[in-house]
Amino acid sequence: MTQPLHIEAVSAHYGTTRVLEDLSLSVQAGELVSLLGASGCGKTTTLRLIAGFLSPTSGSITLGGRDLTRLPTHKRDIGLVFQNYALFPHLSVLDNVAFGLKQRGIAADERRRRAMAMLDRVGLSVLADRAPGALSGGQKQRVALARALVIEPPLLMFDEPLSNLDAKLRVDMRVEIRQLQRANGTTSVYVTHDQEEAFSISDRVAIMNAGRLMQFDRPEVLYRRPANTFVARFVGFENVIPFQVVARDGDMVTAETAGMRLGLSQSLYGTIPDAFLLATRPDGLTVSSDAAADGLPARLGLRTYLGRAYQYQCETAAGHLVANGSLTAPLQAGARVKLVPVPEQCTILAAGGDE
Amino acid sequence: MSDRPHPLLIVIAALVYLFLMVPLVIVVGAALSDTTYLTFPPQGLSLRWFENIFQISAFRRTIVTSLQIAFLGTLIALLIGIPAAYALNRFRVELPKWLGTLFLLPILVPEIVFGFALLKSLTVGTGAPIFLALLIGHTLIVLPYVVRVISASLASFDFSIEEAAISLGSAPVKTFFTIVLPNVRGGVIAAFILAFITSLNDVSVSLFLTGPGISTLPIQILAHVEQFFDPTVASVSVLLMVLTVAVMAIVERTLGLTFLAK
């Protein structure tokens, strides 16, 4: 039942505005892939193209060898879960779930049996006769999930399914979604703007920006080794410092930025180009009051409390940076300090890369 | 703050109600009078002027014509108006804004002008039969109400529900009937009733389009008043009022009047 999805060189336009540019993406059979990005990045457009609510201006979409590109939505056999649930208000919970089976010409008894079994799996069989309006948000989304799963689609798609739920329920529901998806082994595409959500449940994540795919990889790779400054900033590498290589000695590279020299090992980062960007999260910069420390001279600005650390806004010759300092020795605004990069928590990006 | 309204407010409200109700009370009173001329308060009580309505063939005929025109006109307006309202809402982003306003034109243009325009273009222009001209005219004047009321209903309809149904394998046209229409049922009923009443009570457009042998009830009432001064007119008015109130009562019972205010 489970099938791979291939999107090949797909572009899409709204009127004359290009909203998706030459997107290629493959989802393996049984894999859950998230499309992640801010609103307007093209993730929802991509989902609507796969669903058939939009037509691409070029490119092709195939599902398990079946060309979907020109197929109308109702013949695509895709399970969809919407942000606002989109349950049929005039049908009971059971009839909502059985709707897709009815379209497939399955007899009433069998429909009922299968719909009940699916409602049982999402823990809602006792609510089968209720109207959707009488359910809570979480229950509605479970019904929507059951409705999409019961037709045993080769592809399941989620459009920000948890955005309307409160924080605690979001976490519970995403675990539930992942478990059901795993158990069924259904190829899935999951659209979200929530990075934690995407990273926690996906096999791979496609980070998108302005209608283009910025990076497509496992969450672990995206989190530690972003491929460009856009992805780096997106996953929290708030500090991006430009460096120039001034000396090379085998594995070791000495690089320089305004006010600081740094020795870097290529065994840690791979080949380092002559001009590069060093990116770190606030945790990757140690705040040192020691004037003799080998770091970037900085003047501290606003201090905020994060619970596990203090965070400082810092002014340096390399621009505005953000660093986290220890809770035991809070520093005052205006203090002169050194910011020392922690090599393991830094990553190297090509200068002038995709922004 | 006292939870009792100010006495002056009660007086004003009472005056407004009085102002609205008195003409109606006078008409009902006059209709029940036993005299051969219009008078209030009624002298003697009789239903003979109600019987008289049905003895005058012109009234019998125009009541039937009015009901036919109202029913058929509303039906046609729904057949045009429902798809129009659907398209206007479904493709709100893609369609130009003025397109929605276009459907309101027949009630934005003064009805008397609209009636005259229809006379020139339909009856004189094409020589269309009177009944057909009336039907077209009435369809056009009730269409804005149909589009407006159903649009209001569709505005709160979440079109992702329709997309969900299509994604589950229901063809788009079938989805319209099984998913979209049942969810705007209330709007359709409200539109039907509003359009029906509007058509039934129309004077200005009908005035231009009626002709020899075929007329509508309100026009017949006018014609009757020009010649006779008996209470028949009052009783016809009461009949029209009762019809309207009955229809409104059905709306109130089934949907609630707030529905029309939407």
Side-chain angles (χ1 to χ4, degrees), chain B residues 87-139:
Chain B
L88 285 173
N89 281 276
R90 181 74 178 82
F91 306 106
R92 195 176 314 162
V93 185
E94 290 89 341
L95 291 172
K97 277 209 177 73
W98 51 261
L99 207 61
T101 317
L102 199 68
F103 279 95
L104 299 182
L105 268 186
I107 45 171
L108 294 180
V109 173
E111 277 194 28
I112 202 106
V113 176
F114 194 65
F116 178 67
L118 284 174
L119 173 75
K120 288 291 282 181
S121 57
L122 275 176
T123 318
V124 179
T126 66
I130 294 166
F131 187 85
L132 186 65
L134 266 174
L135 185 59
I136 294 174
H138 278 235
T139 302

Short mmCIF file of all heavy atoms in Angstrom, two decimals, chain B residues 87-139:
data_model
loop_
_atom_site.label_atom_id
_atom_site.label_comp_id
_atom_site.label_asym_id
_atom_site.label_seq_id
_atom_site.Cartn_x
_atom_site.Cartn_y
_atom_site.Cartn_z
N ALA B 87 -19.77 30.97 -6.48
CA ALA B 87 -18.57 31.40 -7.20
C ALA B 87 -17.96 32.65 -6.56
O ALA B 87 -16.75 32.75 -6.40
CB ALA B 87 -18.90 31.66 -8.66
N LEU B 88 -18.83 33.60 -6.18
CA LEU B 88 -18.34 34.85 -5.58
C LEU B 88 -17.56 34.59 -4.29
O LEU B 88 -16.60 35.27 -4.00
CB LEU B 88 -19.51 35.80 -5.29
CG LEU B 88 -20.12 36.51 -6.49
CD1 LEU B 88 -21.37 37.28 -6.08
CD2 LEU B 88 -19.11 37.46 -7.13
N ASN B 89 -18.02 33.60 -3.52
CA ASN B 89 -17.35 33.31 -2.25
C ASN B 89 -16.16 32.39 -2.41
O ASN B 89 -15.12 32.57 -1.80
CB ASN B 89 -18.35 32.71 -1.26
CG ASN B 89 -19.21 33.77 -0.64
OD1 ASN B 89 -18.84 34.41 0.32
ND2 ASN B 89 -20.37 34.00 -1.24
N ARG B 90 -16.34 31.38 -3.26
CA ARG B 90 -15.29 30.38 -3.45
C ARG B 90 -14.04 31.01 -4.06
O ARG B 90 -12.93 30.68 -3.73
CB ARG B 90 -15.82 29.26 -4.35
CG ARG B 90 -14.86 28.14 -4.63
CD ARG B 90 -14.72 27.25 -3.41
NE ARG B 90 -13.85 26.13 -3.66
CZ ARG B 90 -12.52 26.20 -3.59
NH1 ARG B 90 -11.96 27.35 -3.29
NH2 ARG B 90 -11.79 25.15 -3.80
N PHE B 91 -14.28 31.94 -5.00
CA PHE B 91 -13.15 32.55 -5.71
C PHE B 91 -13.04 34.03 -5.35
O PHE B 91 -12.74 34.87 -6.19
CB PHE B 91 -13.30 32.35 -7.21
CG PHE B 91 -13.49 30.91 -7.58
CD1 PHE B 91 -14.73 30.43 -7.98
CD2 PHE B 91 -12.43 30.01 -7.50
CE1 PHE B 91 -14.91 29.09 -8.29
CE2 PHE B 91 -12.60 28.67 -7.81
CZ PHE B 91 -13.84 28.21 -8.20
N ARG B 92 -13.31 34.35 -4.09
CA ARG B 92 -13.32 35.73 -3.63
C ARG B 92 -12.00 36.43 -3.95
O ARG B 92 -11.98 37.58 -4.35
CB ARG B 92 -13.58 35.78 -2.12
CG ARG B 92 -13.96 37.14 -1.62
CD ARG B 92 -14.28 37.08 -0.14
NE ARG B 92 -15.15 35.94 0.13
CZ ARG B 92 -15.33 35.41 1.34
NH1 ARG B 92 -14.69 35.91 2.37
NH2 ARG B 92 -16.12 34.38 1.52
N VAL B 93 -10.91 35.70 -3.77
CA VAL B 93 -9.59 36.31 -3.98
C VAL B 93 -9.34 36.55 -5.47
O VAL B 93 -8.82 37.59 -5.87
CB VAL B 93 -8.50 35.40 -3.40
CG1 VAL B 93 -7.13 36.07 -3.51
CG2 VAL B 93 -8.80 35.06 -1.96
N GLU B 94 -9.73 35.57 -6.28
CA GLU B 94 -9.41 35.63 -7.70
C GLU B 94 -10.30 36.60 -8.47
O GLU B 94 -9.88 37.19 -9.45
CB GLU B 94 -9.53 34.24 -8.34
CG GLU B 94 -8.47 33.25 -7.90
CD GLU B 94 -8.86 32.46 -6.65
OE1 GLU B 94 -9.77 32.91 -5.93
OE2 GLU B 94 -8.26 31.40 -6.40
N LEU B 95 -11.58 36.74 -8.04
CA LEU B 95 -12.52 37.55 -8.79
C LEU B 95 -12.40 39.02 -8.43
O LEU B 95 -12.09 39.36 -7.29
CB LEU B 95 -13.95 37.07 -8.51
CG LEU B 95 -14.31 35.70 -9.07
CD1 LEU B 95 -15.68 35.27 -8.56
CD2 LEU B 95 -14.30 35.70 -10.58
N PRO B 96 -12.69 39.91 -9.41
CA PRO B 96 -12.66 41.35 -9.09
C PRO B 96 -13.76 41.71 -8.10
O PRO B 96 -14.82 41.09 -8.09
CB PRO B 96 -12.90 42.01 -10.44
CG PRO B 96 -13.52 40.96 -11.30
CD PRO B 96 -13.02 39.65 -10.81
N LYS B 97 -13.49 42.72 -7.26
CA LYS B 97 -14.42 43.08 -6.19
C LYS B 97 -15.77 43.56 -6.71
O LYS B 97 -16.80 43.28 -6.12
CB LYS B 97 -13.80 44.20 -5.33
CG LYS B 97 -12.84 43.69 -4.28
CD LYS B 97 -12.82 44.64 -3.08
CE LYS B 97 -11.93 44.12 -1.98
NZ LYS B 97 -10.51 44.24 -2.31
N TRP B 98 -15.76 44.30 -7.86
CA TRP B 98 -17.01 44.91 -8.32
C TRP B 98 -18.02 43.87 -8.79
O TRP B 98 -19.20 44.15 -8.93
CB TRP B 98 -16.74 45.92 -9.44
CG TRP B 98 -15.90 45.41 -10.57
CD1 TRP B 98 -14.57 45.61 -10.75
CD2 TRP B 98 -16.31 44.60 -11.68
NE1 TRP B 98 -14.13 44.99 -11.89
CE2 TRP B 98 -15.17 44.37 -12.49
CE3 TRP B 98 -17.55 44.08 -12.08
CZ2 TRP B 98 -15.23 43.61 -13.65
CZ3 TRP B 98 -17.60 43.31 -13.25
CH2 TRP B 98 -16.44 43.09 -14.02
N LEU B 99 -17.57 42.63 -9.02
CA LEU B 99 -18.47 41.61 -9.53
C LEU B 99 -19.61 41.33 -8.56
O LEU B 99 -20.76 41.13 -8.96
CB LEU B 99 -17.68 40.32 -9.81
CG LEU B 99 -18.27 39.42 -10.89
CD1 LEU B 99 -18.32 40.13 -12.22
CD2 LEU B 99 -17.49 38.13 -10.99
N GLY B 100 -19.30 41.35 -7.26
CA GLY B 100 -20.32 41.13 -6.25
C GLY B 100 -21.34 42.25 -6.24
O GLY B 100 -22.54 42.03 -6.11
N THR B 101 -20.84 43.47 -6.42
CA THR B 101 -21.72 44.65 -6.43
C THR B 101 -22.66 44.61 -7.63
O THR B 101 -23.80 45.04 -7.56
CB THR B 101 -20.87 45.94 -6.50
OG1 THR B 101 -19.77 45.77 -5.60
CG2 THR B 101 -21.67 47.14 -6.10
N LEU B 102 -22.18 44.04 -8.72
CA LEU B 102 -22.97 43.94 -9.95
C LEU B 102 -24.31 43.25 -9.68
O LEU B 102 -25.35 43.65 -10.20
CB LEU B 102 -22.17 43.15 -10.99
CG LEU B 102 -22.61 43.33 -12.44
CD1 LEU B 102 -22.32 44.75 -12.91
CD2 LEU B 102 -21.88 42.35 -13.33
N PHE B 103 -24.27 42.23 -8.83
CA PHE B 103 -25.48 41.48 -8.55
C PHE B 103 -26.47 42.26 -7.69
O PHE B 103 -27.62 41.89 -7.55
CB PHE B 103 -25.15 40.14 -7.87
CG PHE B 103 -24.71 39.10 -8.84
CD1 PHE B 103 -23.37 38.88 -9.10
CD2 PHE B 103 -25.66 38.35 -9.53
CE1 PHE B 103 -22.97 37.92 -10.01
CE2 PHE B 103 -25.27 37.38 -10.44
CZ PHE B 103 -23.92 37.18 -10.68
N LEU B 104 -25.99 43.35 -7.08
CA LEU B 104 -26.88 44.15 -6.25
C LEU B 104 -27.54 45.27 -7.04
O LEU B 104 -28.45 45.95 -6.56
CB LEU B 104 -26.10 44.74 -5.06
CG LEU B 104 -25.46 43.73 -4.11
CD1 LEU B 104 -24.78 44.44 -2.96
CD2 LEU B 104 -26.51 42.76 -3.57
N LEU B 105 -27.07 45.47 -8.29
CA LEU B 105 -27.56 46.59 -9.10
C LEU B 105 -29.08 46.75 -9.15
O LEU B 105 -29.58 47.85 -8.95
CB LEU B 105 -27.00 46.49 -10.53
CG LEU B 105 -25.68 47.25 -10.76
CD1 LEU B 105 -25.30 47.19 -12.23
CD2 LEU B 105 -25.81 48.69 -10.31
N PRO B 106 -29.83 45.66 -9.39
CA PRO B 106 -31.28 45.84 -9.49
C PRO B 106 -31.92 46.49 -8.28
O PRO B 106 -32.98 47.10 -8.40
CB PRO B 106 -31.81 44.42 -9.67
CG PRO B 106 -30.67 43.69 -10.30
CD PRO B 106 -29.43 44.30 -9.72
N ILE B 107 -31.30 46.37 -7.08
CA ILE B 107 -31.91 47.09 -5.95
C ILE B 107 -31.21 48.41 -5.67
O ILE B 107 -31.69 49.22 -4.90
CB ILE B 107 -32.00 46.27 -4.65
CG1 ILE B 107 -30.70 45.55 -4.36
CG2 ILE B 107 -33.17 45.30 -4.71
CD1 ILE B 107 -30.69 44.92 -2.99
N LEU B 108 -30.05 48.64 -6.31
CA LEU B 108 -29.36 49.92 -6.12
C LEU B 108 -29.97 50.98 -7.04
O LEU B 108 -30.15 52.12 -6.66
CB LEU B 108 -27.86 49.78 -6.39
CG LEU B 108 -27.11 48.89 -5.39
CD1 LEU B 108 -25.63 48.82 -5.73
CD2 LEU B 108 -27.30 49.41 -3.97
N VAL B 109 -30.31 50.55 -8.27
CA VAL B 109 -30.97 51.46 -9.21
C VAL B 109 -32.40 51.66 -8.70
O VAL B 109 -33.04 50.70 -8.29
CB VAL B 109 -31.01 50.82 -10.61
CG1 VAL B 109 -31.83 51.67 -11.56
CG2 VAL B 109 -29.60 50.62 -11.13
N PRO B 110 -32.91 52.92 -8.70
CA PRO B 110 -34.30 53.13 -8.27
C PRO B 110 -35.23 52.20 -9.03
O PRO B 110 -35.12 52.06 -10.26
CB PRO B 110 -34.56 54.59 -8.64
CG PRO B 110 -33.21 55.23 -8.61
CD PRO B 110 -32.24 54.16 -9.03
N GLU B 111 -36.15 51.55 -8.32
CA GLU B 111 -36.98 50.52 -8.94
C GLU B 111 -37.81 51.06 -10.09
O GLU B 111 -38.06 50.35 -11.07
CB GLU B 111 -37.90 49.91 -7.88
CG GLU B 111 -37.20 48.82 -7.08
CD GLU B 111 -38.18 47.99 -6.28
OE1 GLU B 111 -39.35 47.87 -6.70
OE2 GLU B 111 -37.78 47.46 -5.24
N ILE B 112 -38.20 52.30 -9.97
CA ILE B 112 -39.04 52.89 -11.01
C ILE B 112 -38.25 53.01 -12.32
O ILE B 112 -38.75 52.77 -13.40
CB ILE B 112 -39.60 54.26 -10.53
CG1 ILE B 112 -40.86 54.62 -11.30
CG2 ILE B 112 -38.59 55.35 -10.58
CD1 ILE B 112 -42.11 54.45 -10.48
N VAL B 113 -36.97 53.34 -12.18
CA VAL B 113 -36.09 53.43 -13.34
C VAL B 113 -35.88 52.04 -13.93
O VAL B 113 -35.95 51.82 -15.14
CB VAL B 113 -34.72 54.04 -12.94
CG1 VAL B 113 -33.77 54.04 -14.12
CG2 VAL B 113 -34.90 55.42 -12.37
N PHE B 114 -35.66 51.09 -13.03
CA PHE B 114 -35.44 49.71 -13.44
C PHE B 114 -36.67 49.17 -14.18
O PHE B 114 -36.56 48.52 -15.21
CB PHE B 114 -35.13 48.87 -12.20
CG PHE B 114 -34.57 47.53 -12.52
CD1 PHE B 114 -33.34 47.40 -13.14
CD2 PHE B 114 -35.29 46.38 -12.22
CE1 PHE B 114 -32.83 46.16 -13.44
CE2 PHE B 114 -34.78 45.14 -12.51
CZ PHE B 114 -33.55 45.03 -13.12
N GLY B 115 -37.85 49.50 -13.63
CA GLY B 115 -39.10 49.06 -14.25
C GLY B 115 -39.24 49.63 -15.65
O GLY B 115 -39.57 48.91 -16.60
N PHE B 116 -38.95 50.90 -15.76
CA PHE B 116 -39.07 51.56 -17.06
C PHE B 116 -38.08 50.96 -18.06
O PHE B 116 -38.42 50.69 -19.22
CB PHE B 116 -38.81 53.07 -16.90
CG PHE B 116 -38.87 53.82 -18.19
CD1 PHE B 116 -40.06 53.94 -18.88
CD2 PHE B 116 -37.71 54.40 -18.73
CE1 PHE B 116 -40.13 54.63 -20.09
CE2 PHE B 116 -37.77 55.08 -19.94
CZ PHE B 116 -38.98 55.20 -20.62
N ALA B 117 -36.87 50.71 -17.59
CA ALA B 117 -35.84 50.11 -18.45
C ALA B 117 -36.30 48.75 -18.96
O ALA B 117 -36.12 48.40 -20.13
CB ALA B 117 -34.52 49.99 -17.69
N LEU B 118 -36.93 47.97 -18.08
CA LEU B 118 -37.40 46.65 -18.47
C LEU B 118 -38.53 46.76 -19.49
O LEU B 118 -38.62 45.98 -20.43
CB LEU B 118 -37.87 45.87 -17.25
CG LEU B 118 -36.78 45.29 -16.36
CD1 LEU B 118 -37.39 44.67 -15.12
CD2 LEU B 118 -35.97 44.26 -17.13
N LEU B 119 -39.41 47.75 -19.29
CA LEU B 119 -40.51 47.97 -20.22
C LEU B 119 -39.95 48.24 -21.62
O LEU B 119 -40.36 47.63 -22.61
CB LEU B 119 -41.36 49.16 -19.75
CG LEU B 119 -42.46 49.61 -20.72
CD1 LEU B 119 -43.62 48.64 -20.69
CD2 LEU B 119 -42.95 51.01 -20.38
N LYS B 120 -38.96 49.15 -21.67
CA LYS B 120 -38.37 49.52 -22.95
C LYS B 120 -37.68 48.32 -23.61
O LYS B 120 -37.82 48.09 -24.80
CB LYS B 120 -37.33 50.65 -22.76
CG LYS B 120 -37.93 51.98 -22.43
CD LYS B 120 -38.68 52.58 -23.60
CE LYS B 120 -37.71 53.20 -24.62
NZ LYS B 120 -38.46 53.81 -25.75
N SER B 121 -36.91 47.58 -22.78
CA SER B 121 -36.09 46.53 -23.39
C SER B 121 -36.85 45.24 -23.60
O SER B 121 -36.61 44.53 -24.56
CB SER B 121 -34.85 46.29 -22.51
OG SER B 121 -35.26 45.94 -21.21
N LEU B 122 -37.78 44.91 -22.70
CA LEU B 122 -38.48 43.62 -22.82
C LEU B 122 -39.76 43.73 -23.63
O LEU B 122 -39.87 43.20 -24.74
CB LEU B 122 -38.80 43.09 -21.42
CG LEU B 122 -37.73 42.29 -20.71
CD1 LEU B 122 -38.21 41.93 -19.33
CD2 LEU B 122 -37.41 41.03 -21.51
N THR B 123 -40.73 44.45 -23.05
CA THR B 123 -42.06 44.48 -23.65
C THR B 123 -42.05 45.19 -25.00
O THR B 123 -42.50 44.65 -26.00
CB THR B 123 -43.05 45.18 -22.69
OG1 THR B 123 -42.77 44.72 -21.36
CG2 THR B 123 -44.48 44.85 -23.05
N VAL B 124 -41.48 46.39 -25.01
CA VAL B 124 -41.46 47.17 -26.24
C VAL B 124 -40.36 46.63 -27.18
O VAL B 124 -40.57 46.40 -28.35
CB VAL B 124 -41.23 48.66 -25.96
CG1 VAL B 124 -41.18 49.45 -27.26
CG2 VAL B 124 -42.33 49.19 -25.04
N GLY B 125 -39.20 46.36 -26.59
CA GLY B 125 -38.05 45.97 -27.39
C GLY B 125 -38.22 44.64 -28.09
O GLY B 125 -37.96 44.52 -29.28
N THR B 126 -38.67 43.61 -27.36
CA THR B 126 -38.73 42.27 -27.95
C THR B 126 -40.15 41.78 -28.14
O THR B 126 -40.37 40.73 -28.72
CB THR B 126 -37.98 41.25 -27.07
OG1 THR B 126 -38.71 41.13 -25.85
CG2 THR B 126 -36.57 41.68 -26.77
N GLY B 127 -41.08 42.54 -27.60
CA GLY B 127 -42.47 42.11 -27.71
C GLY B 127 -42.74 40.83 -26.94
O GLY B 127 -43.58 40.02 -27.31
N ALA B 128 -42.01 40.63 -25.83
CA ALA B 128 -42.18 39.43 -25.03
C ALA B 128 -43.58 39.41 -24.42
O ALA B 128 -44.15 40.47 -24.14
CB ALA B 128 -41.14 39.41 -23.92
N PRO B 129 -44.18 38.21 -24.26
CA PRO B 129 -45.49 38.12 -23.62
C PRO B 129 -45.44 38.74 -22.23
O PRO B 129 -44.38 38.72 -21.57
CB PRO B 129 -45.75 36.61 -23.53
CG PRO B 129 -44.76 35.96 -24.43
CD PRO B 129 -43.63 36.91 -24.62
N ILE B 130 -46.57 39.27 -21.76
CA ILE B 130 -46.60 39.98 -20.49
C ILE B 130 -46.15 39.10 -19.32
O ILE B 130 -45.36 39.52 -18.48
CB ILE B 130 -48.03 40.53 -20.22
CG1 ILE B 130 -48.34 41.60 -21.27
CG2 ILE B 130 -48.12 41.14 -18.83
CD1 ILE B 130 -49.79 41.98 -21.33
N PHE B 131 -46.66 37.85 -19.30
CA PHE B 131 -46.32 36.97 -18.19
C PHE B 131 -44.81 36.75 -18.13
O PHE B 131 -44.19 36.80 -17.06
CB PHE B 131 -47.04 35.62 -18.33
CG PHE B 131 -46.86 34.72 -17.13
CD1 PHE B 131 -47.69 34.85 -16.02
CD2 PHE B 131 -45.85 33.78 -17.10
CE1 PHE B 131 -47.53 34.03 -14.91
CE2 PHE B 131 -45.66 32.96 -15.99
CZ PHE B 131 -46.51 33.09 -14.90
N LEU B 132 -44.22 36.54 -19.31
CA LEU B 132 -42.78 36.30 -19.38
C LEU B 132 -42.01 37.54 -18.91
O LEU B 132 -41.06 37.45 -18.13
CB LEU B 132 -42.38 35.93 -20.81
CG LEU B 132 -40.93 35.52 -20.99
CD1 LEU B 132 -40.65 34.23 -20.23
CD2 LEU B 132 -40.58 35.36 -22.46
N ALA B 133 -42.46 38.71 -19.37
CA ALA B 133 -41.80 39.96 -18.97
C ALA B 133 -41.87 40.15 -17.46
O ALA B 133 -40.88 40.50 -16.81
CB ALA B 133 -42.45 41.14 -19.68
N LEU B 134 -43.06 39.87 -16.89
CA LEU B 134 -43.22 39.97 -15.43
C LEU B 134 -42.28 39.03 -14.71
O LEU B 134 -41.63 39.38 -13.72
CB LEU B 134 -44.66 39.61 -15.05
CG LEU B 134 -45.65 40.77 -14.91
CD1 LEU B 134 -47.06 40.21 -14.68
CD2 LEU B 134 -45.26 41.68 -13.77
N LEU B 135 -42.23 37.81 -15.25
CA LEU B 135 -41.39 36.79 -14.62
C LEU B 135 -39.92 37.20 -14.63
O LEU B 135 -39.22 37.11 -13.62
CB LEU B 135 -41.58 35.46 -15.35
CG LEU B 135 -40.87 34.25 -14.74
CD1 LEU B 135 -41.34 34.03 -13.32
CD2 LEU B 135 -41.14 33.00 -15.57
N ILE B 136 -39.46 37.69 -15.79
CA ILE B 136 -38.06 38.13 -15.90
C ILE B 136 -37.80 39.30 -14.96
O ILE B 136 -36.82 39.33 -14.21
CB ILE B 136 -37.72 38.50 -17.36
CG1 ILE B 136 -37.77 37.25 -18.24
CG2 ILE B 136 -36.33 39.15 -17.45
CD1 ILE B 136 -37.60 37.51 -19.72
N GLY B 137 -38.73 40.28 -14.98
CA GLY B 137 -38.59 41.45 -14.12
C GLY B 137 -38.48 41.05 -12.65
O GLY B 137 -37.59 41.50 -11.93
N HIS B 138 -39.38 40.19 -12.20
CA HIS B 138 -39.38 39.78 -10.80
C HIS B 138 -38.15 38.95 -10.44
O HIS B 138 -37.60 39.08 -9.37
CB HIS B 138 -40.68 39.03 -10.47
CG HIS B 138 -41.82 39.93 -10.20
ND1 HIS B 138 -42.57 39.89 -9.06
CD2 HIS B 138 -42.33 40.96 -10.93
CE1 HIS B 138 -43.50 40.83 -9.09
NE2 HIS B 138 -43.38 41.49 -10.24
N THR B 139 -37.74 38.09 -11.38
CA THR B 139 -36.52 37.31 -11.14
C THR B 139 -35.36 38.26 -10.87
O THR B 139 -34.58 38.07 -9.94
CB THR B 139 -36.21 36.44 -12.36
OG1 THR B 139 -37.32 35.58 -12.61
CG2 THR B 139 -34.97 35.59 -12.12
#
